[in-house]
Amino acid sequence: MNFKKQRKNMVRTQIKARGITDKKVLKAFENVKRHLFVPESKRLQAYADRPLAIGSGQTISQPYIVALMVSLLNLGESDNVLEIGTGSGYQTAILCKLAKKVYSIERYESLAKSARKNLEKTKLSNYEIKVADGTLGWPENKNMKFDAIIVSAAANQIPKTFKEQLAMGGRLVIPVGSRFSQNLIRLTKKKDGFEEENFGGCVFVPLIGKHSW
Ligand code: SAH
């Protein structure tokens, strides 16, 4: 199976064709081996245009949705990123390519364990994964500020923790809505408050924790 070719096709037909043009983002998607982040039995579907089950009732998001969310973060090389919902670790790997450090939280021990295993197969090392309720923010230091926060599960409202943990100029990308349909929201922290933008409908697994469902 020529995974490299499949990856190039994925970038061209699923991501670029839908309007994502940031060269660094496209390069990250060409370089991260998505087939290493899906269960063995699903390797052949790794580059398909849809989410895939990864165990514990959770999914690895559709490639385009990951690309859209990551590009909305406008990451720079010196940025620290908080990721809620490590899942397979695939998006963690993409973020590692674009930012300084990725702090990732997953509520299932089993998924965090396999994400760490998946990430060990890459040459990346600028990440930390914790098992905790991500709606409470980074467990080690509640006062830590992040340049970007990305939430890969659907919230019923925007948890205040995330607003508090954004640095000035920081961006939060989060699906917000009902259990079965949400809108992709970007909040940018500005001197005079938060700018809110809506990037349309999406469907995510629920964000389960103190400040959500
Ligand atoms: N970005 C992931 C997609 C994961 S799906 C990937 O590329 O594979 C969303 C994940 O969020 C699930 O693994 C789920 O267990 C996790 N999750 C849900 N609520 C959470 C919470 N409060 N804190 C941390 N993780 C949570």
Side-chain angles (χ1 to χ4, degrees), residues 58-60 85 87-88 91 105-108 111 133-134 152 206 208:
Q58 307 303 317
T59 54
I60 175 173
S88 65
Q91 180 176 273
I105 309 178
E106 170 55 51
R107 62 185 282 266
Y108 284 104
L111 288 177
D133 172 7
S152 307
I208 295 172

Side-chain angles (χ1 to χ4, degrees), residues 75-82 99-103 144-149 171:
L75 291 173
E77 283 166 8
S78 61
D79 284 351
N80 285 318
V81 184
L82 176 64
K100 186 168 133 209
K101 180 142 185 201
V102 183
Y103 298 83
M144 202 154 151
K145 302 278 188 223
F146 296 94
D147 304 294
I149 301 179
R171 292 82 57 202

